[in-house]
């Protein structure tokens, strides 16, 4: 083993494995910051500004679709010279538009969650720097992609650290960092050539996976709204457009509502 450790091939493999572990560690931190911090903040920003008005527009759009369908169903009764039974019509509408109702509920839940998060206290710049520094240290010592031999207990600590990092819980991060201060990791110097090759390949695959994941995140909501959400003028422009759309939908709904009243009035008469 000593002679092998001194060989040029082994030394080159060892350096490459260490280099890729450092790259992988950096990619993990980049991905976590992107998903757990940056995208969460963008989501909060979106739902507490533009999202509120998008919800109102979508809500009115759903109301228009429902009242249009209600008029159609009532007209079907009338065309067959049948009595219009409104509870049956409403039950049919509830069934047909259940998906719309669920989407509205989900949208409202997202808004409420964002509102709650926006009211939470923020860490100071110094505390944020400490949070990231400690989390970086925890990742290097406990992330399973970097440390395949971590125990179940250590893996549980790592998952708790991820949750704490996402919620900005500095005290928990401090506690976890203290608990794993002496965590054991793989000693690359004792690895065989085959083991080093496996680690190198594993690192490359994980780096590619993380890069692909980050590309997907950056092309999706809420990151694809970043340019708008970081520009107050564009946010206000978006809100103004949504307000115009909402007013237009209100007028359309009012017209359908008047038509429905006329049909029901004729029916009652």
């Amino acid at each position: 083993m000593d002679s092998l450790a001194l060989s040029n091939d082994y030394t080159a493999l060892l350096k490459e494995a260490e280099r890729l572990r450092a790259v992988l560690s950096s990619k993990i931190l980049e991905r976590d910051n992107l998903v757990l911090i940056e995208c969460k903040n963008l989501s909060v920003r979106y739902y507490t500004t533009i999202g509120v008005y998008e919800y109102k527009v979508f809500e009115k759009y759903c109301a228009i679709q429902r009242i249009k369908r209600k008029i159609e169903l009532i007209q079907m009764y009338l065309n067959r010279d049948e009595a219009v039974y409104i509870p049956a019509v409403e039950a049919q509408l509830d069934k047909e538009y259940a998906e719309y109702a669920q989407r509205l509920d989900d949208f409202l839940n997202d808004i409420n969650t964002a509102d709650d998060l926006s009211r939470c206290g923020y860490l100071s710049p110094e505390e944020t720097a400490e949070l990231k520094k400690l989390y970086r240290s925890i990742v290097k010592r406990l992330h399973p992609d970097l440390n395949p031999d971590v125990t179940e207990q250590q893996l549980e600590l790592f998952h708790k650290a991820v949750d704490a990092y996402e919620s900005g819980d500095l005290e928990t991060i401090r506690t976890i960092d203290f608990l794993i201060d002496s965590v054991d990791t793989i000693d690359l110097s004792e690895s065989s050539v085959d083991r080093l090759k496996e680690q190198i390949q594993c690192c490359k695959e994980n780096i590619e996976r993380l890069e692909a994941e980050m590309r997907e995140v950056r092309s999706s909501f809420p990151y694809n709204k970043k340019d708008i959400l970081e520009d107050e003028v564009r946010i206000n422009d978006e809100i103004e457009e949504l307000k115009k759309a909402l007013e237009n939908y209100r007028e359309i709904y009012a017209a359908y509502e008047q038509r429905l009243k006329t049909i029901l009035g004729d029916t009652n008469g």
Side-chain angles (χ1 to χ4, degrees):
M1 177 63 72
D2 291 340
S3 60
L4 178 62
L6 295 175
S7 71
N8 291 334
D9 287 346
Y10 182 82
T11 301
L13 286 171
L14 181 58
K15 289 182 178 179
E16 179 65 1
E18 291 174 337
R19 184 188 72 81
L20 287 172
R21 278 168 57 84
V23 173
L24 178 56
S25 176
S26 175
K27 292 296 180 182
I28 290 170
L29 292 168
E30 183 182 356
R31 187 277 313 276
D32 286 356
N33 185 69
L34 175 65
V35 175
L36 302 180
I37 304 300
E38 191 170 2
C39 281
K40 186 182 75 171
N41 291 339
L42 288 172
S43 182
V44 169
R45 179 68 169 154
Y46 167 79
Y47 282 116
T48 56
T49 54
I50 297 171
V52 173
Y53 292 93
E54 281 201 348
Y55 172 81
K56 292 179 180 179
V57 170
F58 183 55
E59 182 182 38
K60 188 57 66 176
Y61 168 80
C62 292
I64 290 171
Q65 300 308 307
R66 182 178 176 112
I67 198 171
K68 282 172 61 178
R69 179 59 175 156
K70 186 173 184 177
I71 291 171
E72 290 177 2
L73 292 173
I74 291 173
Q75 195 63 56
M76 287 170 57
Y77 278 100
L78 297 177
N79 291 343
R80 296 195 297 261
D81 291 327
E82 296 176 1
V84 178
Y85 185 54
I86 296 299
V89 172
E90 294 293 349
Q92 178 66 24
L93 291 170
D94 288 342
K95 181 179 178 181
E96 292 184 8
Y97 289 91
E99 183 179 346
Y100 280 100
Q102 185 60 55
R103 288 172 62 187
L104 281 169
D105 285 345
D106 292 343
F107 205 148
L108 187 58
N109 287 335
D110 288 336
I111 290 174
N112 289 334
T113 298
D115 186 60
D116 290 341
L117 289 172
S118 70
R119 297 173 189 274
C120 295
Y122 290 97
L123 297 175
S124 68
E126 293 77 15
E127 290 172 329
T128 299
E130 182 183 358
L131 180 78
K132 291 183 176 181
K133 179 181 179 180
L134 291 176
Y135 184 69
R136 185 181 302 113
S137 175
I138 292 169
V139 165
K140 288 180 178 179
R141 290 178 289 171
L142 290 189
H143 196 289
D145 286 345
L146 293 169
N147 306 281
D149 294 339
V150 291
T151 66
E152 287 294 326
Q153 186 177 19
Q154 291 168 341
L155 189 59
E156 183 179 352
L157 276 178
F158 172 71
H159 290 314
K160 288 181 179 179
V162 173
D163 291 339
Y165 182 67
E166 181 178 10
S167 61
D169 187 349
L170 179 56
E171 286 304 317
T172 296
I173 286 289
R174 285 169 174 166
T175 301
I176 293 172
D177 181 68
F178 174 78
L179 289 173
I180 63 171
D181 190 53
S182 61
V183 68
D184 293 327
T185 56
I186 296 174
D187 182 4
L188 291 177
S189 64
E190 297 179 356
S191 300
S192 66
V193 170
D194 288 341
R195 177 61 173 160
L196 284 174
K197 289 180 178 178
E198 289 176 4
Q199 288 187 355
I200 288 171
Q201 183 59 32
C202 184
C203 282
K204 288 180 178 179
E205 291 174 357
N206 280 312
I207 290 169
E208 290 178 1
R209 174 178 58 80
L210 289 168
E211 289 177 340
E213 182 180 338
M214 287 188 284
R215 285 195 297 271
E216 177 65 24
V217 169
R218 290 188 173 107
S219 66
S220 306
F221 177 84
Y223 197 89
N224 58 5
K225 301 284 187 180
K226 182 178 180 180
D227 289 344
I228 296 175
L229 294 171
E230 293 183 343
D231 187 333
E232 287 293 336
V233 173
R234 295 185 66 182
I235 289 175
N236 291 330
D237 287 345
E238 287 280 327
I239 290 174
E240 286 303 314
E241 288 299 315
L242 289 166
K243 285 181 177 179
K244 291 177 184 178
L246 181 59
E247 185 58 33
N248 182 50
Y249 277 166
R250 283 172 175 162
E251 293 176 2
I252 293 172
Y253 182 83
Y256 278 115
E257 195 172 34
Q258 184 57 49
R259 182 179 173 187
L260 178 62
K261 288 179 180 178
T262 299
I263 293 174
L264 292 177
D266 293 342
T267 301
N268 294 333

